[in-house]
Amino acid sequence: MKRAFLVTGPPGCGKTTLLRRVVAELPLWAGGFYTEEIRHGGQRVGFRLLTLDGQEAVLASVDVSGPPRVGKYGVDVAALERVGVPALEEAAASADVVVVDEIGKMEMASHRFRRAVESALDAGCCLLGSILLAPHPWADALKARPEVLVVGLTPAERERTRERLATLVRECVERRRQDRGAASVQGG
């Protein structure tokens, strides 16, 4: 049964906007984080993590020396591990849906991030996220897991994709709640 839904597509195709819309329209408790661009004078100069409970940190910037570096950006792995990883871990422990936007080269520089994503999947959590389109050994292994559905995003299909993801996430959460209820009845 699919319970992890990962949107992929080229940069700038609207993955984060799509995820935000799906989460906003569903009556459920979501945790995790989004990433967004940091812009100055019309130029992209970095990326920020925003947790669903209101924390934020700079993930990468032209002003961060790194390593690691992804393109012109230095990645602040410590910031990811201080803000983003705990948001994923807390969501996996108690939220209806774990949101991880995104599973990309910057985030994958952290072994703790990778473990948090794998742990959420291993625990049977419903997960909604975005993942890089380009080949990468670890990301490709995630995409190949039997519980993962990879959804390509194109501008022409954006609305239909949003509707499909909302339905899939809603059904996943309902199944998980039913499974928990059945387990508590059996255990009680």
Side-chain angles (χ1 to χ4, degrees):
M1 192 64 72
K2 304 296 183 186
R3 55 187 161 68
F5 311 101
L6 300 178
V7 178
T8 193
C13 71
K15 296 181 292 289
T16 299
T17 301
L18 174 73
L19 297 179
R20 285 177 180 263
R21 287 186 60 203
V22 169
V23 170
E25 77 180 56
L26 293 175
L28 49 80
W29 180 28
F33 69 84
Y34 298 108
T35 57
E36 69 178 19
E37 294 181 349
I38 300 170
R39 292 189 163 271
H40 290 296
Q43 297 288 334
R44 184 173 65 196
V45 296
F47 296 90
R48 173 180 332 175
L49 288 173
L50 299 168
T51 67
L52 276 73
D53 65 1
Q55 298 179 59
E56 65 178 73
V58 173
L59 170 63
S61 171
V62 294
D63 298 326
V64 173
S65 60
R69 294 195 68 76
V70 175
K72 65 182 180 179
Y73 306 104
V75 180
D76 189 344
V77 173
L80 172 62
E81 293 180 349
R82 185 178 65 254
V83 176
V85 171
L88 295 178
E89 292 168 342
E90 290 168 19
S94 56
D96 293 323
V97 177
V98 177
V99 176
V100 56
D101 172 49
E102 85 181 84
I103 301 169
K105 289 180 182 177
M106 293 177 186
E107 294 83 2
M108 288 187 296
S110 165
H111 294 291
R112 281 192 57 210
F113 169 82
R114 292 182 191 205
R115 281 195 306 272
V117 171
E118 290 169 349
S119 293
L121 291 173
D122 292 344
C125 295
C126 296
L127 190 141
L128 178 63
S130 61
I131 193 164
L132 77 165
L133 182 60
H136 181 281
W138 185 78
D140 293 346
L142 278 185
K143 293 175 188 177
R145 288 178 65 139
E147 70 272 28
V148 172
L149 176 67
V150 178
V151 179
L153 181 61
T154 64
E157 295 291 316
R158 189 174 293 131
E159 188 58 24
R160 193 154 74 190
T161 301
R162 183 198 54 76
E163 291 169 0
R164 179 178 179 215
L165 282 174
T167 299
L168 290 168
V169 170
R170 186 180 308 108
E171 290 171 353
C172 179
V173 169
E174 288 171 4
R175 274 193 319 271
R176 187 156 162 85
R177 287 177 178 166
Q178 289 171 355
D179 291 347
R180 285 180 179 164
S184 68
V185 168
Q186 291 174 354

